[in-house]
Amino acid sequence: MSYDKELTAAKKAVSLAASLCQKVQKELSQSDVQSKSDKSPVTVADYGSQAIVRFVLERELSDEPLSLVAEEDTEKLRKDSGEDALQRITKLVNETISNDGSYITSPLSTEDILTAIDSGKSKGGSLGRQWVLDPVDGTKGFIRGDQYAVALALLDNGKVVLGVLACPNLPLALASITGNAPSENAVGCLFYATVGSGTSMQSLDGSSPVKVHVSDIGNAEDASFFESYEKAHSMRDLTSSIARKLGVKAPPVRMDSQAKYGALSRGDGAIYMRLHDKPYTEKIWDHAAGCIIVTEAGGLVTDAAGQPLDFSKGRYLDVVSGIIATNEKLMPSLLKAVRESLEEKDSSS
Ligand SMILES: Nc1ncnc2c1ncn2[C@@H]1O[C@H](COP(=O)(O)OS(=O)(=O)O)[C@@H](OP(=O)(O)O)[C@H]1O
Ligand SMILES: [Mg+2]
Ligand SMILES: [Mg+2]
Ligand SMILES: [Mg+2]
């Protein structure tokens, strides 16, 4: 099964969404940020990105039914207090489409934008094709001016078959990735993978892609590990105890969003740990794209008990104690260290 057409559509959708996000991040004002009912932040970029991804997928894949599982909904935007934000989102989406120039369309109305955002309500599951979108992953990082990602994946009968991840603030770093070597400060990466075809990375402004691979380090002493920037999203006492057991010498690299999966896929570090304290239900859009980008680059992504992630259960992931990712050589010792540290924690509480 080839997913060429879907990949072209997904790369286009995510690239346009990323350019909308970059524009917003540059000139972010307080009125661009709202708080959701779970107290987590959402910005006009999260909404605009979701609307534009839907718009591009519909245009590019007009002969396919589109089922979309996406993070944002329009509850806040439909209230009187959301009117200014809705106007701003509509303007941003129309400007982004018209600056790109690929699509001839009369300007989208506020109602078109609400409909596009609300199209992300699919329940997911194991039947047929489901697109999975995190329009801005790492919204807190986005607001802080740090790392964030636009993450889009495709499920086919419950399995992730395609993933595209834009990381607008991630350094291109691998100086060899473009024919014309980017300057050391150049940022903006687009990672993508389809099942069985490996993972590629190119610059967001359109260099030729290169294949990327996870680190082949087999000795954890030489490895470094990624974890969330936000303290509340992973248990740091546990990750540091695991790192100690493994003999990892380097300090943790803390980064927002699925940019961690992108960085892992090209071997910037060798391990990613995300371990939960309180019960926390992971969402499929926080991991689907990142997961295939790492596995197609030769890595493994599992829950803390070593089970592969199951994206076929609906909008949520049923994971035990958290998520870990690394290469094949390090996985057995990582799993052992995770198990021992979890047991020690349980026996001391
Ligand atoms: N308590 C808790 N535990 C674990 N994860 C949580 C928690 N709360 C939120 N989230 C989700 O984390 C997403 C951000 O990803 P990261 O943790 O990798 O980045 S960050 O360091 O927090 O910025 C973030 O995604 P976005 O909402 O898209 O930003 C959330 O879905
Ligand atoms: Mg997210
Ligand atoms: Mg998000
Ligand atoms: Mg969010």
Side-chain angles (χ1 to χ4, degrees):
M1 170 77 68
S2 145
Y3 295 100
D4 293 350
K5 198 171 155 215
E6 288 74 15
L7 179 62
T8 305
K11 284 171 71 179
K12 179 79 183 179
V14 166
S15 301
L16 280 197
S19 82
L20 182 149
C21 293
Q22 283 170 304
K23 183 172 162 48
V24 175
Q25 198 185 35
K26 253 187 231 141
E27 53 200 43
L28 191 77
S29 73
Q30 243 172 12
S31 61
D32 289 336
V33 183
Q34 299 175 349
S35 183
K36 293 199 276 190
S37 45
D38 65 359
K39 302 274 191 300
S40 68
V42 61
T43 74
V44 292
D46 300 59
Y47 292 121
S49 167
Q50 186 157 320
I52 211 156
V53 167
R54 176 73 197 193
F55 172 85
V56 174
L57 291 181
E58 257 172 23
R59 281 296 174 110
E60 298 286 331
L61 304 170
S62 50
D63 50 349
E64 294 180 20
L66 277 186
S67 221
L68 178 66
V69 180
E71 181 181 355
E72 307 307 341
D73 63 46
T74 59
E75 194 194 323
K76 293 257 161 191
L77 297 176
R78 287 182 189 275
K79 297 195 167 128
D80 287 348
S81 57
E83 180 57 30
D84 288 351
L86 179 59
Q87 295 290 350
R88 167 116 159 94
I89 296 157
T90 307
K91 189 160 173 271
L92 281 163
V93 171
N94 281 318
E95 276 171 9
T96 308
I97 293 169
S98 108
N99 287 345
D100 172 65
S102 308
Y103 305 105
I104 298 159
T105 176
S106 45
L108 303 180
S109 64
T110 52
E111 204 47 49
D112 294 332
I113 296 296
L114 290 170
T115 307
I117 296 171
D118 271 339
S119 75
K121 284 197 165 128
S122 165
K123 292 192 162 54
S126 60
L127 290 180
R129 291 187 174 186
Q130 305 274 346
W131 289 91
V132 179
L133 172 68
D134 195 333
V136 173
D137 181 42
T139 302
K140 288 183 178 166
F142 176 81
I143 293 166
R144 226 189 292 115
D146 285 342
Q147 295 299 330
Y148 66 99
V150 179
L152 179 63
L154 177 63
L155 304 183
D156 201 343
N157 293 327
K159 295 260 183 292
V160 188
V161 294
L162 174 163
V164 179
L165 193 62
C167 306
N169 289 340
L170 190 68
L172 285 161
L174 298 179
S176 59
I177 81 137
T178 56
N180 42 353
S183 81
E184 271 181 32
N185 306 330
V187 293
C189 302
L190 185 72
F191 296 90
Y192 57 92
T194 52
V195 64
S197 302
T199 299
S200 302
M201 179 183 88
Q202 65 188 66
S203 75
L204 258 179
D205 53 21
S207 63
S208 27
V210 287
K211 288 277 182 201
V212 294
H213 301 278
V214 293
S215 154
D216 66 356
I217 286 178
N219 182 352
E221 283 187 21
D222 306 325
S224 61
F225 77 94
F226 294 106
E227 65 181 350
S228 291
Y229 185 94
E230 293 290 330
K231 251 193 203 151
H233 294 183
S234 182
M235 280 171 80
R236 292 190 176 168
D237 47 351
L238 201 61
T239 52
S240 69
S241 132
I242 296 162
R244 232 181 358 260
K245 280 185 195 297
L246 286 168
V248 170
K249 294 201 186 95
V253 180
R254 293 185 175 137
M255 194 189 282
D256 299 279
S257 86
Q258 288 174 69
K260 292 186 279 295
Y261 285 114
L264 193 76
S265 78
R266 65 179 190 192
D268 286 357
I271 299 169
Y272 171 25
M273 292 190 264
R274 181 184 189 85
L275 296 163
H276 300 151
D277 187 1
K278 296 180 242 40
Y280 173 79
T281 314
E282 292 281 1
K283 321 295 187 305
I284 58 172
W285 52 78
D286 279 322
H287 302 283
C291 184
I292 190 170
I293 279 159
V294 167
T295 54
E296 282 297 320
L300 296 169
V301 183
T302 72
D303 71 8
Q307 295 303 309
L309 306 187
D310 182 352
F311 290 93
S312 74
K313 300 281 188 217
R315 291 171 71 89
Y316 300 105
L317 278 172
D318 187 11
V319 294
V320 176
S321 300
I323 293 173
I324 54 175
T326 187
N327 64 22
E328 289 184 12
K329 289 184 200 163
L330 288 173
M331 191 50 109
S333 45
L334 175 59
L335 271 172
K336 181 165 173 281
V338 168
R339 197 178 50 241
E340 288 173 5
S341 295
L342 283 169
E343 281 166 6
E344 283 164 18
K345 181 181 135 282
D346 287 347
S347 64
S348 69
S349 61

